[in-house]
Amino acid sequence: MALGSYKDWLNSVITKKHSANTITLSHENIYVVPSKSGFLFLFFALLNFVIGINYQNNLILGVAYLMLMLQISALFYGYMNLHGMRLELLDIKSNFVGNHNLAKFRITPSAEVYSLNIFHSEFDNLDFQNKHFDVKPQNQIIKLHLERRGKYSSGKFKIQSSYPFGLVNVWSYLLPNKQFYVYPAPLKCELDIQSSLEADSDTGVKSKRSDSFEDFSSLTKYQKGMSKNRISWRHFAKSQELLVKDYEGEEQSISHVLDFFKVEGAKETKLSKLCYQVLEADKQGHEFALKLPNAYIKMGSGESHVTRCLEALSEC
């Protein structure tokens, strides 16, 4: 119980001192102790000292003092190796299951940095070990491999170095407040639209068309996120300007509803199929809505709409 209380207290201290997207390493947030090799090195120094005293051998005593001074120097050099370095987590990219989420860091050393490592409390096998940096800002990418879909927080990164000689362990922490998603892996299938919608013979996609599909009231300038199937290609061929058709009816040319309950398979299979359908509907330029057990994403199109749908699938 006492150990648990100590760990809770230690975590609260770390959270208070290191919760930020950016940290500049200084005496307030750098921790230095001898490493396992360093403690073993001190043990042999002490052993030499005891032998030198017992046998009154000045040479052995000199070796013991030299080993002690080397360990003390290593503590100072290890501290100065990281002191003044600025580390910033710029972003963590969301990605699909089976691919890497990319964490982008900005590292700004105040002096040459040797043997820099970055670890994480939850994500294993970060490919960032024994890196060397000269005195200039650099962007570094770390791959996070996650095998389950969901919404994740950036968690706790540990900045560590064992320079010099591996005799010391110097470390600090970075606790950013960023969040990212691991989307379901897309599973190829046909677009599964509500049964009340009719098939589009050109694309093989089920769609619902307005009675006034051929009769549009006006043309407006294309804006990012608008459905691409509303673009007037005839006008584009003449004027090289992207214009979209505004229809008189309330319904637009294509109206898709991707429904979780109408997709076959287990839950994860359904989500993977819906993920594919979202990407495919966007690729074909259709507007669509997404119906899930815990959410409903209204009709829309464009990059931001696709992102909202993928995030909802990740949290379902």
Side-chain angles (χ1 to χ4, degrees):
M1 188 67 181
L3 181 61
S5 300
Y6 171 74
K7 288 183 177 180
D8 292 340
W9 172 81
L10 184 61
N11 288 332
S12 66
V13 171
I14 292 174
T15 301
K16 183 177 180 180
K17 293 180 65 174
H18 299 271
S19 292
N21 293 327
T22 306
I23 187 172
T24 300
L25 301 183
S26 66
H27 68 280
E28 296 179 348
N29 50 37
I30 296 180
Y31 311 101
V32 187
V33 296
S35 62
K36 291 182 180 179
S37 299
F39 280 114
L40 186 61
F41 191 77
L42 286 173
F43 170 76
F44 281 109
L46 178 61
L47 185 62
N48 281 333
F49 179 78
V50 173
I51 293 173
I53 290 293
N54 286 342
Y55 290 95
Q56 297 182 354
N57 188 316
N58 291 333
L59 180 60
I60 297 177
L61 286 174
V63 171
Y65 289 132
L66 182 61
M67 293 177 70
L68 178 62
M69 292 304 299
L70 183 60
Q71 179 63 60
I72 294 173
S73 299
L75 291 171
F76 280 103
Y77 275 101
Y79 168 80
M80 293 305 300
N81 179 52
L82 296 186
H83 182 268
M85 185 184 74
R86 186 173 183 266
L87 185 72
E88 179 181 5
L89 177 61
L90 299 176
D91 189 25
I92 302 181
K93 296 292 185 182
S94 298
N95 212 333
F96 300 93
V97 171
N99 297 315
H100 292 101
N101 295 81
L102 302 180
K104 185 177 181 180
F105 285 89
R106 180 74 167 174
I107 298 175
T108 309
S110 62
E112 198 167 5
V113 175
Y114 305 89
S115 181
L116 176 66
N117 307 300
I118 296 181
F119 305 100
H120 197 279
S121 58
E122 298 176 14
F123 313 138
D124 297 328
N125 302 321
L126 300 190
D127 186 20
F128 198 96
Q129 297 183 7
N130 300 320
K131 298 290 185 178
H132 174 268
F133 298 94
D134 51 16
V135 189
K136 62 179 181 180
Q138 298 182 36
N139 289 338
Q140 293 290 321
I141 302 295
I142 296 180
K143 296 179 179 179
L144 310 179
H145 183 68
L146 298 165
E147 298 181 352
R148 296 186 61 184
R149 65 172 179 85
K151 181 179 180 180
Y152 292 83
S153 62
S154 49
K156 179 169 63 177
F157 289 93
K158 181 179 180 181
I159 307 115
Q160 188 270 342
S161 176
S162 55
Y163 174 85
F165 313 126
L167 295 178
V168 296
N169 186 20
V170 186
W171 76 97
S172 186
Y173 298 102
L174 179 66
L175 279 74
N177 60 359
K178 296 185 181 296
Q179 295 180 329
F180 63 98
Y181 291 84
V182 178
Y183 307 137
L187 181 60
K188 190 173 182 179
C189 63
E190 293 184 1
L191 284 181
D192 192 4
I193 312 302
Q194 287 183 349
S195 58
S196 61
L197 307 184
E198 61 185 24
D200 185 332
S201 59
D202 294 333
T203 64
V205 178
K206 296 179 181 179
S207 61
K208 185 174 183 179
R209 300 192 178 275
S210 167
D211 293 333
S212 57
F213 174 62
E214 295 297 337
D215 300 322
F216 56 90
S217 59
S218 62
L219 291 171
T220 58
K221 193 171 182 179
Y222 175 80
Q223 301 290 334
K224 185 177 179 181
M226 288 182 172
S227 178
K228 295 178 183 178
N229 70 296
R230 293 168 54 197
I231 294 176
S232 176
W233 297 110
R234 183 181 300 175
H235 289 82
F236 177 75
K238 293 180 180 179
S239 62
Q240 298 299 308
E241 184 180 8
L242 285 176
L243 301 173
V244 294
K245 302 174 184 178
D246 287 334
Y247 295 93
E248 295 178 352
E250 294 182 357
E251 296 176 341
Q252 299 298 323
S253 59
I254 295 181
S255 179
H256 289 175
V257 177
L258 307 179
D259 193 341
F260 174 89
F261 299 100
K262 296 184 180 296
V263 179
E264 295 182 353
K267 180 179 180 180
E268 295 302 322
T269 302
K270 289 184 175 184
L271 293 176
S272 292
K273 288 182 177 180
L274 286 171
C275 182
Y276 174 82
Q277 292 179 22
V278 166
L279 298 175
E280 189 66 16
D282 177 67
K283 181 180 178 181
Q284 296 184 16
H286 303 323
E287 293 185 347
F288 59 93
L290 178 63
K291 184 178 181 181
L292 298 172
N294 63 336
Y296 181 81
I297 309 299
K298 294 181 179 180
M299 198 71 62
S301 63
E303 183 179 348
S304 60
H305 180 66
V306 171
T307 299
R308 286 196 301 271
C309 291
L310 293 176
E311 291 176 354
L313 289 170
S314 302
E315 295 185 274
C316 182

